[in-house]
Amino acid sequence: MIFYDFKLSTGDLNVGTVYLPKENAKNLPVIIYCHGWGGRRQLWTPTQMLCNRAMEKGIALVTFDFFGCGETGGDHSKMTYTRWKENLSDIVSWVESQPFSDKEKIGCYAFSSGSTAALRLAAEDERLAFVISIGTCISSHIFMRTGGPSKWLADNLETLMSGGAVKDFGLEFLVDTISGAPIHSMDKIACPVLFLQGTADNTFRCADAKMAFDLMSSVNPTLPTYIPLKDGTHELDNMADEAMAIVYGWLTTILGLA
């Protein structure tokens, strides 16, 4: 395996890392890892296993830091999921231009809030060949235990309209999170999606994964796959072996791998 860092020259100048099974590899399927809230591109237990399996299968892995995170940096108070979606679109464009990629086989492994960006992009951009969604976030349930965006917006509209913030979130973030939530556009996704969901995750994430599957199935039942993993955590780090076996079994079918 070889790896190297890169920095985009467009958009938010996102910083990322490419992992390749061998030097000068060409025309490979590509998995783009989309980290969650407060995360970063560095590999940890499940993603290290994701990378190891990718190298064995002859698949490139690309990780990157969204705006407001890791080495990309930026004022996190100016983060929105639309901005993250645009970051991901910029990464896809960069990957398409690289000789290591088969641009017909570029997809995402998206975790938690990273799935919000990936599913938003998939609903608007047919370049994504697949999405693997872990700890799916399609609704505005994020931060629900403290009220969530809808309640914060309704209860604090005057403060927000005058430029104030609620729990460090301003009007733009809350409106974007509610109005642009993927729950409104799941029917527009035209690529296969695997919803891999731990049943020990919180109630909202479990509900989102099943809703996402049902919404896609109502339009095209051949595209989504929903697999609940009994007692799996939000990260699925307590059953990473089983999760990765499912992921690569599914990818073998989707991408036509030997």
PDB file of all heavy atoms in Angstrom, residues 133-136 145 195-210 226-239 242-243 246:
ATOM      1  N   SER A 133     -23.940   3.989   3.835  1.00  0.00           N
ATOM      2  CA  SER A 133     -24.328   4.921   4.887  1.00  0.00           C
ATOM      3  C   SER A 133     -24.336   4.216   6.241  1.00  0.00           C
ATOM      4  O   SER A 133     -25.084   3.262   6.446  1.00  0.00           O
ATOM      5  CB  SER A 133     -25.713   5.505   4.577  1.00  0.00           C
ATOM      6  OG  SER A 133     -26.092   6.445   5.554  1.00  0.00           O
ATOM      7  N   ILE A 134     -23.501   4.698   7.163  1.00  0.00           N
ATOM      8  CA  ILE A 134     -23.374   4.127   8.507  1.00  0.00           C
ATOM      9  C   ILE A 134     -23.873   5.160   9.509  1.00  0.00           C
ATOM     10  O   ILE A 134     -23.433   6.311   9.487  1.00  0.00           O
ATOM     11  CB  ILE A 134     -21.898   3.787   8.826  1.00  0.00           C
ATOM     12  CG1 ILE A 134     -21.243   2.989   7.691  1.00  0.00           C
ATOM     13  CG2 ILE A 134     -21.794   3.060  10.165  1.00  0.00           C
ATOM     14  CD1 ILE A 134     -21.813   1.638   7.447  1.00  0.00           C
ATOM     15  N   GLY A 135     -24.782   4.777  10.423  1.00  0.00           N
ATOM     16  CA  GLY A 135     -25.321   5.748  11.380  1.00  0.00           C
ATOM     17  C   GLY A 135     -26.014   6.888  10.652  1.00  0.00           C
ATOM     18  O   GLY A 135     -25.776   8.068  10.900  1.00  0.00           O
ATOM     19  N   THR A 136     -26.922   6.533   9.764  1.00  0.00           N
ATOM     20  CA  THR A 136     -27.537   7.449   8.792  1.00  0.00           C
ATOM     21  C   THR A 136     -28.215   8.658   9.434  1.00  0.00           C
ATOM     22  O   THR A 136     -28.925   8.537  10.430  1.00  0.00           O
ATOM     23  CB  THR A 136     -28.568   6.673   7.956  1.00  0.00           C
ATOM     24  OG1 THR A 136     -27.879   5.649   7.239  1.00  0.00           O
ATOM     25  CG2 THR A 136     -29.288   7.581   6.980  1.00  0.00           C
ATOM     26  N   ARG A 145     -31.900  15.530  21.421  1.00  0.00           N
ATOM     27  CA  ARG A 145     -32.054  15.414  22.877  1.00  0.00           C
ATOM     28  C   ARG A 145     -32.027  16.774  23.569  1.00  0.00           C
ATOM     29  O   ARG A 145     -32.416  16.894  24.723  1.00  0.00           O
ATOM     30  CB  ARG A 145     -30.971  14.488  23.454  1.00  0.00           C
ATOM     31  CG  ARG A 145     -31.224  13.017  23.139  1.00  0.00           C
ATOM     32  CD  ARG A 145     -30.355  12.089  23.996  1.00  0.00           C
ATOM     33  NE  ARG A 145     -30.758  10.708  23.810  1.00  0.00           N
ATOM     34  CZ  ARG A 145     -30.262   9.899  22.893  1.00  0.00           C
ATOM     35  NH1 ARG A 145     -29.338  10.335  22.072  1.00  0.00           N
ATOM     36  NH2 ARG A 145     -30.681   8.651  22.788  1.00  0.00           N
ATOM     37  N   PHE A 195     -27.629   0.869   3.580  1.00  0.00           N
ATOM     38  CA  PHE A 195     -27.831   1.419   4.906  1.00  0.00           C
ATOM     39  C   PHE A 195     -27.462   0.336   5.919  1.00  0.00           C
ATOM     40  O   PHE A 195     -28.203  -0.630   6.099  1.00  0.00           O
ATOM     41  CB  PHE A 195     -29.285   1.859   5.101  1.00  0.00           C
ATOM     42  CG  PHE A 195     -29.722   2.932   4.138  1.00  0.00           C
ATOM     43  CD1 PHE A 195     -30.477   2.615   3.019  1.00  0.00           C
ATOM     44  CD2 PHE A 195     -29.353   4.252   4.346  1.00  0.00           C
ATOM     45  CE1 PHE A 195     -30.870   3.598   2.124  1.00  0.00           C
ATOM     46  CE2 PHE A 195     -29.742   5.245   3.448  1.00  0.00           C
ATOM     47  CZ  PHE A 195     -30.505   4.919   2.342  1.00  0.00           C
ATOM     48  N   LEU A 196     -26.308   0.497   6.539  1.00  0.00           N
ATOM     49  CA  LEU A 196     -25.813  -0.468   7.521  1.00  0.00           C
ATOM     50  C   LEU A 196     -25.955   0.186   8.888  1.00  0.00           C
ATOM     51  O   LEU A 196     -25.291   1.186   9.181  1.00  0.00           O
ATOM     52  CB  LEU A 196     -24.358  -0.804   7.208  1.00  0.00           C
ATOM     53  CG  LEU A 196     -23.741  -2.042   7.860  1.00  0.00           C
ATOM     54  CD1 LEU A 196     -24.557  -3.283   7.558  1.00  0.00           C
ATOM     55  CD2 LEU A 196     -22.310  -2.215   7.375  1.00  0.00           C
ATOM     56  N   GLN A 197     -26.839  -0.367   9.727  1.00  0.00           N
ATOM     57  CA  GLN A 197     -27.248   0.347  10.931  1.00  0.00           C
ATOM     58  C   GLN A 197     -27.156  -0.517  12.182  1.00  0.00           C
ATOM     59  O   GLN A 197     -27.768  -1.576  12.258  1.00  0.00           O
ATOM     60  CB  GLN A 197     -28.693   0.840  10.768  1.00  0.00           C
ATOM     61  CG  GLN A 197     -29.237   1.592  11.950  1.00  0.00           C
ATOM     62  CD  GLN A 197     -28.456   2.872  12.217  1.00  0.00           C
ATOM     63  OE1 GLN A 197     -28.175   3.630  11.285  1.00  0.00           O
ATOM     64  NE2 GLN A 197     -28.104   3.117  13.462  1.00  0.00           N
ATOM     65  N   GLY A 198     -26.376  -0.058  13.161  1.00  0.00           N
ATOM     66  CA  GLY A 198     -26.310  -0.743  14.441  1.00  0.00           C
ATOM     67  C   GLY A 198     -27.580  -0.514  15.241  1.00  0.00           C
ATOM     68  O   GLY A 198     -28.037   0.626  15.371  1.00  0.00           O
ATOM     69  N   THR A 199     -28.139  -1.575  15.816  1.00  0.00           N
ATOM     70  CA  THR A 199     -29.394  -1.432  16.558  1.00  0.00           C
ATOM     71  C   THR A 199     -29.192  -0.826  17.942  1.00  0.00           C
ATOM     72  O   THR A 199     -30.160  -0.419  18.585  1.00  0.00           O
ATOM     73  CB  THR A 199     -30.112  -2.787  16.704  1.00  0.00           C
ATOM     74  OG1 THR A 199     -29.294  -3.686  17.473  1.00  0.00           O
ATOM     75  CG2 THR A 199     -30.410  -3.404  15.348  1.00  0.00           C
ATOM     76  N   ALA A 200     -27.943  -0.748  18.413  1.00  0.00           N
ATOM     77  CA  ALA A 200     -27.654  -0.101  19.696  1.00  0.00           C
ATOM     78  C   ALA A 200     -27.362   1.387  19.524  1.00  0.00           C
ATOM     79  O   ALA A 200     -27.036   2.075  20.496  1.00  0.00           O
ATOM     80  CB  ALA A 200     -26.479  -0.792  20.384  1.00  0.00           C
ATOM     81  N   ASP A 201     -27.444   1.880  18.288  1.00  0.00           N
ATOM     82  CA  ASP A 201     -27.304   3.311  18.023  1.00  0.00           C
ATOM     83  C   ASP A 201     -28.502   4.028  18.641  1.00  0.00           C
ATOM     84  O   ASP A 201     -29.476   3.387  19.075  1.00  0.00           O
ATOM     85  CB  ASP A 201     -27.262   3.542  16.505  1.00  0.00           C
ATOM     86  CG  ASP A 201     -26.698   4.900  16.118  1.00  0.00           C
ATOM     87  OD1 ASP A 201     -26.477   5.739  17.012  1.00  0.00           O
ATOM     88  OD2 ASP A 201     -26.478   5.104  14.909  1.00  0.00           O
ATOM     89  N   ASN A 202     -28.475   5.364  18.672  1.00  0.00           N
ATOM     90  CA  ASN A 202     -29.604   6.073  19.275  1.00  0.00           C
ATOM     91  C   ASN A 202     -30.862   5.936  18.415  1.00  0.00           C
ATOM     92  O   ASN A 202     -30.798   5.596  17.228  1.00  0.00           O
ATOM     93  CB  ASN A 202     -29.258   7.544  19.537  1.00  0.00           C
ATOM     94  CG  ASN A 202     -29.073   8.354  18.280  1.00  0.00           C
ATOM     95  OD1 ASN A 202     -30.022   8.570  17.521  1.00  0.00           O
ATOM     96  ND2 ASN A 202     -27.855   8.805  18.038  1.00  0.00           N
ATOM     97  N   THR A 203     -31.993   6.201  19.035  1.00  0.00           N
ATOM     98  CA  THR A 203     -33.303   5.991  18.409  1.00  0.00           C
ATOM     99  C   THR A 203     -33.438   6.757  17.099  1.00  0.00           C
ATOM    100  O   THR A 203     -34.009   6.255  16.120  1.00  0.00           O
ATOM    101  CB  THR A 203     -34.424   6.435  19.373  1.00  0.00           C
ATOM    102  OG1 THR A 203     -34.305   5.701  20.584  1.00  0.00           O
ATOM    103  CG2 THR A 203     -35.791   6.204  18.760  1.00  0.00           C
ATOM    104  N   PHE A 204     -32.914   7.968  17.068  1.00  0.00           N
ATOM    105  CA  PHE A 204     -33.089   8.815  15.889  1.00  0.00           C
ATOM    106  C   PHE A 204     -32.332   8.271  14.691  1.00  0.00           C
ATOM    107  O   PHE A 204     -32.827   8.270  13.567  1.00  0.00           O
ATOM    108  CB  PHE A 204     -32.639  10.245  16.213  1.00  0.00           C
ATOM    109  CG  PHE A 204     -33.263  10.776  17.464  1.00  0.00           C
ATOM    110  CD1 PHE A 204     -32.486  11.082  18.573  1.00  0.00           C
ATOM    111  CD2 PHE A 204     -34.634  10.937  17.561  1.00  0.00           C
ATOM    112  CE1 PHE A 204     -33.066  11.557  19.733  1.00  0.00           C
ATOM    113  CE2 PHE A 204     -35.227  11.414  18.714  1.00  0.00           C
ATOM    114  CZ  PHE A 204     -34.443  11.722  19.811  1.00  0.00           C
ATOM    115  N   ARG A 205     -31.109   7.815  14.904  1.00  0.00           N
ATOM    116  CA  ARG A 205     -30.319   7.267  13.799  1.00  0.00           C
ATOM    117  C   ARG A 205     -30.944   5.971  13.283  1.00  0.00           C
ATOM    118  O   ARG A 205     -30.977   5.728  12.071  1.00  0.00           O
ATOM    119  CB  ARG A 205     -28.873   7.018  14.235  1.00  0.00           C
ATOM    120  CG  ARG A 205     -28.112   8.266  14.667  1.00  0.00           C
ATOM    121  CD  ARG A 205     -27.738   9.166  13.517  1.00  0.00           C
ATOM    122  NE  ARG A 205     -28.858   9.865  12.912  1.00  0.00           N
ATOM    123  CZ  ARG A 205     -29.435  10.956  13.400  1.00  0.00           C
ATOM    124  NH1 ARG A 205     -28.994  11.492  14.494  1.00  0.00           N
ATOM    125  NH2 ARG A 205     -30.457  11.505  12.780  1.00  0.00           N
ATOM    126  N   CYS A 206     -31.401   5.131  14.202  1.00  0.00           N
ATOM    127  CA  CYS A 206     -32.056   3.885  13.780  1.00  0.00           C
ATOM    128  C   CYS A 206     -33.295   4.197  12.937  1.00  0.00           C
ATOM    129  O   CYS A 206     -33.541   3.558  11.910  1.00  0.00           O
ATOM    130  CB  CYS A 206     -32.436   3.039  14.988  1.00  0.00           C
ATOM    131  SG  CYS A 206     -31.033   2.346  15.894  1.00  0.00           S
ATOM    132  N   ALA A 207     -34.069   5.177  13.364  1.00  0.00           N
ATOM    133  CA  ALA A 207     -35.273   5.562  12.626  1.00  0.00           C
ATOM    134  C   ALA A 207     -34.912   6.141  11.260  1.00  0.00           C
ATOM    135  O   ALA A 207     -35.556   5.842  10.248  1.00  0.00           O
ATOM    136  CB  ALA A 207     -36.085   6.570  13.434  1.00  0.00           C
ATOM    137  N   ASP A 208     -33.870   6.968  11.211  1.00  0.00           N
ATOM    138  CA  ASP A 208     -33.470   7.579   9.946  1.00  0.00           C
ATOM    139  C   ASP A 208     -33.053   6.534   8.918  1.00  0.00           C
ATOM    140  O   ASP A 208     -33.386   6.639   7.738  1.00  0.00           O
ATOM    141  CB  ASP A 208     -32.305   8.554  10.183  1.00  0.00           C
ATOM    142  CG  ASP A 208     -32.790   9.951  10.543  1.00  0.00           C
ATOM    143  OD1 ASP A 208     -33.980  10.125  10.833  1.00  0.00           O
ATOM    144  OD2 ASP A 208     -31.950  10.879  10.527  1.00  0.00           O
ATOM    145  N   ALA A 209     -32.287   5.533   9.356  1.00  0.00           N
ATOM    146  CA  ALA A 209     -31.833   4.495   8.422  1.00  0.00           C
ATOM    147  C   ALA A 209     -33.016   3.757   7.807  1.00  0.00           C
ATOM    148  O   ALA A 209     -33.058   3.522   6.592  1.00  0.00           O
ATOM    149  CB  ALA A 209     -30.900   3.520   9.138  1.00  0.00           C
ATOM    150  N   LYS A 210     -33.977   3.399   8.641  1.00  0.00           N
ATOM    151  CA  LYS A 210     -35.147   2.667   8.128  1.00  0.00           C
ATOM    152  C   LYS A 210     -36.015   3.563   7.242  1.00  0.00           C
ATOM    153  O   LYS A 210     -36.508   3.121   6.188  1.00  0.00           O
ATOM    154  CB  LYS A 210     -35.984   2.121   9.290  1.00  0.00           C
ATOM    155  CG  LYS A 210     -37.125   1.187   8.869  1.00  0.00           C
ATOM    156  CD  LYS A 210     -36.601  -0.013   8.100  1.00  0.00           C
ATOM    157  CE  LYS A 210     -37.671  -1.097   7.906  1.00  0.00           C
ATOM    158  NZ  LYS A 210     -38.830  -0.636   7.148  1.00  0.00           N
ATOM    159  N   TYR A 226     -31.011  -2.428   3.217  1.00  0.00           N
ATOM    160  CA  TYR A 226     -31.010  -2.066   4.637  1.00  0.00           C
ATOM    161  C   TYR A 226     -30.640  -3.287   5.453  1.00  0.00           C
ATOM    162  O   TYR A 226     -31.286  -4.325   5.361  1.00  0.00           O
ATOM    163  CB  TYR A 226     -32.395  -1.549   5.038  1.00  0.00           C
ATOM    164  CG  TYR A 226     -32.608  -1.407   6.528  1.00  0.00           C
ATOM    165  CD1 TYR A 226     -31.958  -0.405   7.249  1.00  0.00           C
ATOM    166  CD2 TYR A 226     -33.477  -2.256   7.207  1.00  0.00           C
ATOM    167  CE1 TYR A 226     -32.170  -0.269   8.613  1.00  0.00           C
ATOM    168  CE2 TYR A 226     -33.700  -2.129   8.566  1.00  0.00           C
ATOM    169  CZ  TYR A 226     -33.044  -1.128   9.267  1.00  0.00           C
ATOM    170  OH  TYR A 226     -33.251  -1.004  10.623  1.00  0.00           O
ATOM    171  N   ILE A 227     -29.561  -3.159   6.229  1.00  0.00           N
ATOM    172  CA  ILE A 227     -29.113  -4.278   7.064  1.00  0.00           C
ATOM    173  C   ILE A 227     -28.895  -3.786   8.489  1.00  0.00           C
ATOM    174  O   ILE A 227     -27.932  -3.046   8.755  1.00  0.00           O
ATOM    175  CB  ILE A 227     -27.810  -4.905   6.521  1.00  0.00           C
ATOM    176  CG1 ILE A 227     -28.017  -5.420   5.096  1.00  0.00           C
ATOM    177  CG2 ILE A 227     -27.341  -6.029   7.446  1.00  0.00           C
ATOM    178  CD1 ILE A 227     -26.772  -6.029   4.473  1.00  0.00           C
ATOM    179  N   PRO A 228     -29.782  -4.161   9.419  1.00  0.00           N
ATOM    180  CA  PRO A 228     -29.558  -3.817  10.820  1.00  0.00           C
ATOM    181  C   PRO A 228     -28.599  -4.827  11.458  1.00  0.00           C
ATOM    182  O   PRO A 228     -28.710  -6.030  11.219  1.00  0.00           O
ATOM    183  CB  PRO A 228     -30.951  -3.919  11.430  1.00  0.00           C
ATOM    184  CG  PRO A 228     -31.671  -4.928  10.574  1.00  0.00           C
ATOM    185  CD  PRO A 228     -31.072  -4.832   9.195  1.00  0.00           C
ATOM    186  N   LEU A 229     -27.648  -4.330  12.219  1.00  0.00           N
ATOM    187  CA  LEU A 229     -26.695  -5.198  12.918  1.00  0.00           C
ATOM    188  C   LEU A 229     -27.023  -5.184  14.401  1.00  0.00           C
ATOM    189  O   LEU A 229     -26.870  -4.156  15.069  1.00  0.00           O
ATOM    190  CB  LEU A 229     -25.259  -4.730  12.676  1.00  0.00           C
ATOM    191  CG  LEU A 229     -24.723  -4.937  11.261  1.00  0.00           C
ATOM    192  CD1 LEU A 229     -23.299  -4.422  11.147  1.00  0.00           C
ATOM    193  CD2 LEU A 229     -24.783  -6.402  10.871  1.00  0.00           C
ATOM    194  N   LYS A 230     -27.473  -6.324  14.901  1.00  0.00           N
ATOM    195  CA  LYS A 230     -27.918  -6.423  16.288  1.00  0.00           C
ATOM    196  C   LYS A 230     -26.808  -6.020  17.250  1.00  0.00           C
ATOM    197  O   LYS A 230     -25.686  -6.525  17.164  1.00  0.00           O
ATOM    198  CB  LYS A 230     -28.396  -7.843  16.593  1.00  0.00           C
ATOM    199  CG  LYS A 230     -28.932  -8.026  18.006  1.00  0.00           C
ATOM    200  CD  LYS A 230     -29.524  -9.397  18.185  1.00  0.00           C
ATOM    201  CE  LYS A 230     -29.889  -9.672  19.648  1.00  0.00           C
ATOM    202  NZ  LYS A 230     -30.751  -8.618  20.217  1.00  0.00           N
ATOM    203  N   ASP A 231     -27.138  -5.082  18.136  1.00  0.00           N
ATOM    204  CA  ASP A 231     -26.233  -4.584  19.185  1.00  0.00           C
ATOM    205  C   ASP A 231     -25.061  -3.773  18.641  1.00  0.00           C
ATOM    206  O   ASP A 231     -24.131  -3.442  19.387  1.00  0.00           O
ATOM    207  CB  ASP A 231     -25.701  -5.730  20.055  1.00  0.00           C
ATOM    208  CG  ASP A 231     -26.814  -6.482  20.775  1.00  0.00           C
ATOM    209  OD1 ASP A 231     -27.795  -5.821  21.169  1.00  0.00           O
ATOM    210  OD2 ASP A 231     -26.709  -7.713  20.927  1.00  0.00           O
ATOM    211  N   GLY A 232     -25.092  -3.447  17.355  1.00  0.00           N
ATOM    212  CA  GLY A 232     -24.034  -2.604  16.796  1.00  0.00           C
ATOM    213  C   GLY A 232     -24.131  -1.178  17.302  1.00  0.00           C
ATOM    214  O   GLY A 232     -25.227  -0.640  17.465  1.00  0.00           O
ATOM    215  N   THR A 233     -22.988  -0.549  17.558  1.00  0.00           N
ATOM    216  CA  THR A 233     -22.944   0.827  18.027  1.00  0.00           C
ATOM    217  C   THR A 233     -23.117   1.801  16.859  1.00  0.00           C
ATOM    218  O   THR A 233     -23.198   1.389  15.698  1.00  0.00           O
ATOM    219  CB  THR A 233     -21.603   1.106  18.714  1.00  0.00           C
ATOM    220  OG1 THR A 233     -20.547   0.879  17.773  1.00  0.00           O
ATOM    221  CG2 THR A 233     -21.400   0.196  19.929  1.00  0.00           C
ATOM    222  N   HIS A 234     -23.119   3.074  17.185  1.00  0.00           N
ATOM    223  CA  HIS A 234     -23.219   4.115  16.151  1.00  0.00           C
ATOM    224  C   HIS A 234     -22.095   3.964  15.132  1.00  0.00           C
ATOM    225  O   HIS A 234     -22.311   4.029  13.924  1.00  0.00           O
ATOM    226  CB  HIS A 234     -23.150   5.487  16.817  1.00  0.00           C
ATOM    227  CG  HIS A 234     -23.313   6.651  15.902  1.00  0.00           C
ATOM    228  ND1 HIS A 234     -24.380   6.786  15.039  1.00  0.00           N
ATOM    229  CD2 HIS A 234     -22.549   7.771  15.725  1.00  0.00           C
ATOM    230  CE1 HIS A 234     -24.274   7.926  14.356  1.00  0.00           C
ATOM    231  NE2 HIS A 234     -23.160   8.529  14.750  1.00  0.00           N
ATOM    232  N   GLU A 235     -20.885   3.711  15.628  1.00  0.00           N
ATOM    233  CA  GLU A 235     -19.714   3.596  14.753  1.00  0.00           C
ATOM    234  C   GLU A 235     -19.524   2.194  14.180  1.00  0.00           C
ATOM    235  O   GLU A 235     -18.698   1.992  13.296  1.00  0.00           O
ATOM    236  CB  GLU A 235     -18.445   3.961  15.523  1.00  0.00           C
ATOM    237  CG  GLU A 235     -18.432   5.360  16.108  1.00  0.00           C
ATOM    238  CD  GLU A 235     -19.069   5.425  17.501  1.00  0.00           C
ATOM    239  OE1 GLU A 235     -19.649   4.396  17.954  1.00  0.00           O
ATOM    240  OE2 GLU A 235     -18.996   6.489  18.124  1.00  0.00           O
ATOM    241  N   LEU A 236     -20.263   1.200  14.742  1.00  0.00           N
ATOM    242  CA  LEU A 236     -20.080  -0.213  14.409  1.00  0.00           C
ATOM    243  C   LEU A 236     -18.663  -0.696  14.749  1.00  0.00           C
ATOM    244  O   LEU A 236     -18.188  -1.684  14.196  1.00  0.00           O
ATOM    245  CB  LEU A 236     -20.389  -0.495  12.934  1.00  0.00           C
ATOM    246  CG  LEU A 236     -21.827  -0.236  12.490  1.00  0.00           C
ATOM    247  CD1 LEU A 236     -21.990  -0.511  10.993  1.00  0.00           C
ATOM    248  CD2 LEU A 236     -22.808  -1.111  13.284  1.00  0.00           C
ATOM    249  N   ASP A 237     -18.000   0.012  15.666  1.00  0.00           N
ATOM    250  CA  ASP A 237     -16.645  -0.397  16.021  1.00  0.00           C
ATOM    251  C   ASP A 237     -16.624  -1.655  16.875  1.00  0.00           C
ATOM    252  O   ASP A 237     -15.580  -2.290  17.020  1.00  0.00           O
ATOM    253  CB  ASP A 237     -15.890   0.737  16.729  1.00  0.00           C
ATOM    254  CG  ASP A 237     -16.631   1.296  17.932  1.00  0.00           C
ATOM    255  OD1 ASP A 237     -17.828   0.995  18.090  1.00  0.00           O
ATOM    256  OD2 ASP A 237     -16.007   2.049  18.702  1.00  0.00           O
ATOM    257  N   ASN A 238     -17.778  -2.042  17.434  1.00  0.00           N
ATOM    258  CA  ASN A 238     -17.828  -3.271  18.229  1.00  0.00           C
ATOM    259  C   ASN A 238     -18.086  -4.509  17.360  1.00  0.00           C
ATOM    260  O   ASN A 238     -18.087  -5.630  17.862  1.00  0.00           O
ATOM    261  CB  ASN A 238     -18.894  -3.174  19.323  1.00  0.00           C
ATOM    262  CG  ASN A 238     -20.312  -3.050  18.765  1.00  0.00           C
ATOM    263  OD1 ASN A 238     -20.512  -2.522  17.668  1.00  0.00           O
ATOM    264  ND2 ASN A 238     -21.283  -3.545  19.501  1.00  0.00           N
ATOM    265  N   MET A 239     -18.306  -4.308  16.075  1.00  0.00           N
ATOM    266  CA  MET A 239     -18.472  -5.431  15.158  1.00  0.00           C
ATOM    267  C   MET A 239     -17.939  -5.067  13.775  1.00  0.00           C
ATOM    268  O   MET A 239     -18.584  -5.289  12.757  1.00  0.00           O
ATOM    269  CB  MET A 239     -19.927  -5.891  15.097  1.00  0.00           C
ATOM    270  CG  MET A 239     -20.953  -4.801  14.923  1.00  0.00           C
ATOM    271  SD  MET A 239     -22.650  -5.494  14.838  1.00  0.00           S
ATOM    272  CE  MET A 239     -22.687  -6.588  16.238  1.00  0.00           C
ATOM    273  N   GLU A 242     -17.601  -7.915  11.039  1.00  0.00           N
ATOM    274  CA  GLU A 242     -18.864  -8.279  10.390  1.00  0.00           C
ATOM    275  C   GLU A 242     -19.319  -7.174   9.443  1.00  0.00           C
ATOM    276  O   GLU A 242     -19.770  -7.440   8.319  1.00  0.00           O
ATOM    277  CB  GLU A 242     -19.940  -8.535  11.442  1.00  0.00           C
ATOM    278  CG  GLU A 242     -21.274  -8.977  10.866  1.00  0.00           C
ATOM    279  CD  GLU A 242     -22.304  -9.298  11.924  1.00  0.00           C
ATOM    280  OE1 GLU A 242     -21.950  -9.319  13.120  1.00  0.00           O
ATOM    281  OE2 GLU A 242     -23.469  -9.530  11.546  1.00  0.00           O
ATOM    282  N   ALA A 243     -19.177  -5.921   9.877  1.00  0.00           N
ATOM    283  CA  ALA A 243     -19.599  -4.796   9.047  1.00  0.00           C
ATOM    284  C   ALA A 243     -18.806  -4.742   7.743  1.00  0.00           C
ATOM    285  O   ALA A 243     -19.370  -4.559   6.660  1.00  0.00           O
ATOM    286  CB  ALA A 243     -19.440  -3.486   9.814  1.00  0.00           C
ATOM    287  N   ILE A 246     -19.818  -7.352   5.221  1.00  0.00           N
ATOM    288  CA  ILE A 246     -21.049  -6.973   4.530  1.00  0.00           C
ATOM    289  C   ILE A 246     -20.767  -5.909   3.475  1.00  0.00           C
ATOM    290  O   ILE A 246     -21.239  -5.994   2.335  1.00  0.00           O
ATOM    291  CB  ILE A 246     -22.095  -6.466   5.549  1.00  0.00           C
ATOM    292  CG1 ILE A 246     -22.549  -7.608   6.447  1.00  0.00           C
ATOM    293  CG2 ILE A 246     -23.285  -5.836   4.832  1.00  0.00           C
ATOM    294  CD1 ILE A 246     -23.389  -7.163   7.627  1.00  0.00           C
TER     295      ILE A 246
END
